[in-house]
Amino acid sequence: MEKEFPIKQIIDGNGNLIDSTFGSEITEELLKELYTKMLRARTLDRKSANLQRQGRIGTYAPFEGQEAAQVGSASALEKGDWMFPTYRDHAATLTFGHSLSTILLYWKGRVEGCVPPEGKNIFPPAVPIATQLPHATGAALAEKRKGSDRVSIAYFGDGATSEGDFHEGLNFASVFKAPVVFFNQNNGYAISVPIEKQMNSKTIAQKSVSYDIDGVRVDGNDVFAVYFETKKAIEKARKGEGPTLIEAVTWRYGAHTTADDPTKYRDQELSAEKRKLTDPLLRIERYMEKQGVWEEGWKAQVQKQCEEEIEKAVVEMEAYPEADVNDIFDHVFEEPTWTIKQQKEAFLSMKRGETV
């Protein structure tokens, strides 16, 4: 099936333009815009991992290596569209307009971290695997019924395609031609399980055949391949021509989360070797050098701006008012059940030092 679903690539690992279809659209302005967004995301990612190690936020899910997949796809969306991310897609949510301090609040375990800025249709990050796919289909169907041209995009990993929610989401979207893009980031591992031990399918994209929808496979570390293919899928959905399944083949350089050790299940030398040709930022740097538009001074300036912006967000996150413990219990049901009341009283009793 790899032949039926070849990996689409526009710029290779050495920074060469190997598909000129969109050559005229890759302007210096677009290059710098996407590079800046990816650098901003990477700076946030590294800062967040450091904050976790310092005990200033909770367990964190890094994404270094997946910046092109997330930034490229999110950049193809328009205002008013819907985004359904997982816990690892904060590069995508950041690109789509989420605030830095809110993202950090999420990793600090605050409920406020799930609230998007006014006017941004970003769902809270889905921690259960694949549950957001039917939600994305439902939101897309609602927009279709309202007669709007808004679309949904749902993010998920390769492991999610083994879950029932993946198939339910795609089936409903296919039957009702929902304007939704299913965006898979296939990094070859579902936590510690390599893809060849999880499924017999050679690709994720081929799963689209079962639902008679379009399936596309792209180099997930090539931000332009991701951007233009996602844009095509979104435009198709916007015109009422149904959903698309995109498989972005990528590679994450770090752990699944800061709570696990990837050396136990993945060859780290292979990962380091892959970085030489797959790093999405390095690829764009090489391309820009070949085009004669790369300036180290410009990168240093952008890096400085990103660091200052993120440091400011950290200050805002840490200055946030203490959490109200009642929030854990008071928003589960409209009227709390006896079990919730009992749990709340037990917790408050412990806080008062009456019980242990």
Side-chain angles (χ1 to χ4, degrees), residues 9 18 34 60 92 99 117 120 135 142 146 152 154 182 192 197 209 214-215 226 238 253 256 267 280 290 308 351:
Q9 196 178 54
I18 59 171
L34 293 178
Y60 175 73
S99 78
K120 294 290 180 184
H135 299 162
K146 287 192 292 186
S152 293
F182 298 102
S192 59
K197 288 188 176 180
V209 174
D214 289 338
V226 173
R238 226 183 277 291
Y253 304 123
H256 175 71
D267 183 347
K290 291 177 189 291
E308 289 175 352
K351 293 286 286 182

Coordinates of all heavy atoms in Angstrom, one line a residue, residues 9 18 34 60 92 99 117 120 135 142 146 152 154 182 192 197 209 214-215 226 238 253 256 267 280 290 308 351:
Q9 N 6.4 15.1 -0.6 CA 7.4 15.9 0.0 C 7.7 17.1 -0.9 O 7.6 16.9 -2.2 CB 8.7 15.0 0.2 CG 9.7 15.6 1.1 CD 10.9 14.7 1.2 OE1 11.5 14.3 0.2 NE2 11.3 14.3 2.4
I18 N 12.1 19.7 -4.1 CA 12.0 18.5 -5.0 C 10.6 18.4 -5.7 O 10.4 17.5 -6.5 CB 12.3 17.2 -4.2 CG1 11.3 17.0 -3.1 CG2 13.7 17.2 -3.7 CD1 11.4 15.7 -2.4
L34 N 6.4 30.6 8.8 CA 6.3 29.3 9.2 C 7.6 28.9 10.1 O 7.4 28.2 11.1 CB 6.2 28.3 8.1 CG 4.9 28.4 7.3 CD1 4.9 27.4 6.1 CD2 3.7 28.1 8.2
Y60 N 4.7 16.6 31.5 CA 4.6 17.3 30.3 C 4.8 16.4 29.1 O 5.6 15.4 29.2 CB 5.7 18.4 30.3 CG 5.7 19.2 29.0 CD1 4.7 20.1 28.6 CD2 6.8 19.0 28.1 CE1 4.7 20.8 27.4 CE2 6.8 19.7 26.9 CZ 5.8 20.6 26.6 OH 5.8 21.2 25.4
A92 N 0.2 23.2 17.7 CA -1.0 23.5 16.8 C -1.9 24.6 17.4 O -2.3 25.5 16.8 CB -1.7 22.2 16.5
S99 N -3.3 31.2 23.9 CA -2.3 32.1 24.5 C -1.3 31.2 25.2 O -1.6 30.1 25.7 CB -3.0 33.0 25.5 OG -3.3 32.3 26.7
P117 N -9.0 31.5 24.0 CA -9.3 32.9 24.0 C -10.7 33.1 23.3 O -11.2 32.3 22.5 CB -8.2 33.4 23.0 CG -7.1 32.4 23.1 CD -7.8 31.1 23.3
K120 N -12.0 31.8 19.7 CA -11.2 30.7 19.1 C -11.9 29.4 19.4 O -12.1 29.1 20.6 CB -9.8 30.8 19.8 CG -9.0 32.0 19.4 CD -8.6 31.9 17.9 CE -7.8 33.1 17.5 NZ -7.5 33.1 16.1
H135 N -16.2 14.0 18.1 CA -16.6 15.4 18.5 C -16.3 16.3 17.3 O -17.1 17.2 16.9 CB -15.7 15.9 19.7 CG -15.9 15.1 20.9 ND1 -15.1 15.1 22.0 CD2 -16.9 14.3 21.3 CE1 -15.5 14.3 22.9 NE2 -16.6 13.8 22.5
A142 N -22.5 20.1 12.5 CA -23.3 21.2 13.0 C -23.1 22.4 12.1 O -24.1 23.1 11.8 CB -23.0 21.5 14.5
K146 N -25.8 24.4 9.8 CA -26.1 25.9 9.9 C -25.8 26.6 8.6 O -26.1 27.8 8.5 CB -25.1 26.4 11.0 CG -25.5 26.0 12.4 CD -24.8 26.8 13.4 CE -23.3 26.5 13.5 NZ -22.6 27.2 14.6
S152 N -13.7 21.5 10.6 CA -13.0 21.0 11.8 C -11.7 20.3 11.4 O -11.6 19.7 10.3 CB -13.9 19.9 12.5 OG -15.0 20.5 13.1
A154 N -9.1 17.4 13.4 CA -8.9 16.6 14.6 C -7.5 16.0 14.5 O -7.1 15.5 13.5 CB -9.9 15.5 14.6
F182 N -9.1 14.8 9.2 CA -8.5 14.0 10.3 C -7.0 14.0 10.1 O -6.5 13.5 9.1 CB -9.1 12.5 10.2 CG -10.6 12.5 10.3 CD1 -11.4 12.3 9.2 CD2 -11.1 12.5 11.6 CE1 -12.8 12.3 9.4 CE2 -12.5 12.4 11.8 CZ -13.4 12.3 10.7
S192 N 5.1 3.2 23.9 CA 6.3 2.3 23.7 C 6.1 1.2 22.7 O 7.0 0.4 22.4 CB 6.7 1.7 25.0 OG 5.6 0.9 25.5
K197 N 3.9 -3.6 15.6 CA 3.3 -4.6 16.6 C 1.9 -4.2 17.0 O 1.2 -4.8 17.7 CB 4.2 -4.6 17.9 CG 5.5 -5.3 17.8 CD 6.2 -5.4 19.1 CE 7.5 -6.3 18.9 NZ 8.2 -6.4 20.2
V209 N -9.6 4.1 2.8 CA -10.3 3.3 1.8 C -11.6 2.7 2.4 O -12.6 2.6 1.7 CB -9.4 2.2 1.2 CG1 -10.1 1.3 0.3 CG2 -8.2 2.9 0.6
D214 N -11.0 10.5 0.9 CA -9.6 10.7 0.4 C -8.6 10.4 1.6 O -8.8 10.8 2.7 CB -9.4 12.1 -0.1 CG -10.2 12.3 -1.4 OD1 -10.5 11.3 -2.1 OD2 -10.5 13.5 -1.7
G215 N -7.5 9.8 1.2 CA -6.4 9.6 2.1 C -5.1 10.1 1.5 O -4.8 9.9 0.4
V226 N 3.1 19.6 4.5 CA 2.0 19.5 5.5 C 1.0 20.7 5.2 O -0.2 20.5 5.1 CB 2.5 19.6 6.9 CG1 1.3 19.7 7.9 CG2 3.3 18.4 7.3
R238 N -14.5 22.6 2.8 CA -15.2 23.9 2.8 C -16.2 24.0 1.6 O -17.3 24.6 1.7 CB -14.2 25.1 2.7 CG -14.5 26.2 3.7 CD -13.6 27.4 3.6 NE -12.3 27.2 4.2 CZ -12.2 27.2 5.6 NH1 -13.2 27.3 6.4 NH2 -11.0 27.1 6.1
Y253 N 11.7 13.4 18.8 CA 13.1 13.1 19.3 C 13.1 12.7 20.7 O 14.1 12.1 21.2 CB 14.0 14.3 19.0 CG 14.0 14.7 17.5 CD1 13.7 16.0 17.1 CD2 14.3 13.7 16.5 CE1 13.7 16.3 15.8 CE2 14.3 14.1 15.2 CZ 14.0 15.3 14.8 OH 14.0 15.7 13.5
H256 N 7.8 10.1 25.3 CA 6.3 10.3 25.2 C 5.9 11.3 26.1 O 5.1 12.2 25.8 CB 5.7 8.9 25.5 CG 4.2 9.0 25.5 ND1 3.4 9.1 24.4 CD2 3.3 8.9 26.5 CE1 2.2 9.2 24.7 NE2 2.0 9.0 26.0
D267 N 15.6 3.1 19.9 CA 17.0 3.2 19.7 C 17.4 4.7 19.6 O 17.0 5.4 18.6 CB 17.4 2.6 18.4 CG 18.9 2.6 18.1 OD1 19.6 3.4 18.7 OD2 19.4 1.9 17.1
P280 N 12.7 19.6 11.3 CA 11.9 20.5 10.4 C 12.5 21.9 10.4 O 12.4 22.6 9.3 CB 10.5 20.5 11.0 CG 10.6 19.9 12.4 CD 11.8 19.0 12.3
K290 N 20.0 28.1 0.7 CA 20.1 27.9 -0.8 C 19.4 29.0 -1.6 O 19.8 29.3 -2.7 CB 19.5 26.6 -1.2 CG 20.3 25.4 -0.7 CD 19.6 24.1 -1.0 CE 20.3 22.9 -0.3 NZ 21.6 22.6 -0.8
E308 N 11.6 35.9 25.2 CA 11.1 37.0 26.0 C 9.6 36.8 26.2 O 9.0 37.0 27.3 CB 11.4 38.4 25.4 CG 12.8 38.8 25.5 CD 13.2 40.1 24.8 OE1 12.3 40.6 24.0 OE2 14.3 40.5 24.9
K351 N -8.0 18.8 54.1 CA -7.4 20.1 54.0 C -7.4 20.9 55.3 O -6.5 21.6 55.6 CB -8.1 21.0 52.9 CG -8.0 20.4 51.5 CD -6.6 20.6 50.9 CE -6.4 22.1 50.5 NZ -5.0 22.3 49.9

